[in-house]
């Protein structure tokens, strides 16, 4: 089974993006994969903003990317782009940090007008970081996600849940077919 890093780029612990990432974590864990969750908001702001690679938390985050077979990146959409928090994290990664890795981009937002963020804003950055396989990104409208008051878990409309599961299944299939490529030092 694969080692998967899931990243939430939401500044809020209670966001629909973070909760969606948690649901994806559960799907992947149920399928037998080893999942490590990274909440970018928990990294030290000063070290993140100054790209301080000597900071232990930043070094650990970079190591999580290096050791993963696949990466799921979940971001809210702000001002027609992915979160600045995500951009800051991606900027401090090594140039080929995603080489040999399968990536699933996920985004949440308030309007379908923001769906293009996946292909026109996020995909080019993920490609520049060397990912050979970026599966079709998935966008979830905020109004299709509710939060269960009892357990705080995200719940989706039937269509949204089915499409999210299909996106995760596609990601898992690509992980299964991927042939590891050695990365030159």
């Amino acid at each position: 089974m694969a080692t998967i890093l899931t990243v939430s780029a939401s500044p809020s612990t209670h966001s629909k993006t973070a909760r969606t990432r948690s649901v994806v974590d559960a799907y992947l864990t149920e399928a037998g994969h080893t999942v490590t969750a990274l909440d970018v908001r928990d990294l030290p702001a000063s070290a993140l903003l100054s790209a301080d690679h000597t900071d232990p938390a930043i070094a650990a985050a970079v190591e999580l990317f290096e050791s993963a077979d696949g990466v799921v990146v979940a971001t809210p959409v702000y001002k027609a782009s992915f979160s600045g928090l995500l951009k800051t994290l991606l900027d401090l990664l090594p140039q080929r940090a995603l080489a040999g890795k399968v990536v699933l981009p996920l985004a949440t937002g308030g309007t379908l007008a923001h769906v293009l963020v996946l292909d026109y804003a996020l995909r080019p950055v993920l490609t520049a970081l060397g990912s050979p396989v970026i599966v079709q990104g998935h966008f979830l409208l905020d109004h299709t996600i509710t939060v269960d008051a009892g357990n705080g878990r995200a719940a989706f409309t039937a269509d949204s849940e089915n499409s999210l599961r299909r996106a995760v299944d596609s990601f898992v299939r690509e992980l299964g077919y991927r042939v590891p490529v050695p990365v030159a030092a």
Side-chain angles (χ1 to χ4, degrees):
M1 289 294 157
T3 299
I4 300 169
L5 172 63
T6 62
V7 179
S8 172
S10 175
S12 170
T13 58
H14 303 297
S15 73
K16 291 179 179 180
T17 302
R19 292 171 196 260
T20 297
R21 195 279 313 272
S22 294
V23 170
V24 170
D25 290 353
Y27 292 166
L28 293 167
T29 301
E30 289 166 9
H33 300 286
T34 301
V35 177
T36 302
L38 173 63
D39 291 300
V40 184
R41 73 177 164 274
D42 292 339
L43 295 173
S46 177
L48 189 61
L49 291 172
S50 65
D52 180 0
H53 290 88
T54 64
D55 182 274
I58 298 299
V62 171
E63 173 56 33
L64 290 174
F65 279 89
E66 290 173 358
S67 63
D69 299 310
V71 178
V72 176
V73 177
T75 182
V77 177
Y78 298 123
K79 309 270 192 268
S81 186
F82 56 93
S83 78
L85 200 54
L86 179 59
K87 178 68 167 119
T88 304
L89 174 65
L90 296 176
D91 283 348
L92 66 78
L93 294 177
Q95 182 64 35
R96 305 281 298 154
L98 297 178
K101 299 177 189 330
V102 177
V103 178
L104 171 60
L106 301 174
T108 59
T111 173
L112 281 177
H114 291 146
V115 73
L116 295 175
V117 72
L118 291 167
D119 288 330
Y120 292 104
L122 189 52
R123 182 177 291 271
V125 176
L126 299 173
T127 300
L129 288 169
S131 176
V133 180
I134 302 170
V135 298
Q136 180 65 46
H138 188 67
F139 182 83
L140 291 141
L141 285 165
D142 286 341
H143 77 268
T144 67
I145 307 166
T146 56
V147 177
D148 184 301
N151 62 17
R153 190 167 189 257
F156 307 94
T157 61
D159 287 345
S160 286
E161 183 165 3
N162 290 336
S163 62
L164 179 60
R165 280 192 182 270
R166 282 193 303 274
V168 172
D169 288 345
S170 177
F171 172 70
V172 168
R173 272 193 310 278
E174 288 295 336
L175 281 167
Y177 296 131
R178 185 180 68 80
V179 177
V181 177
V183 178

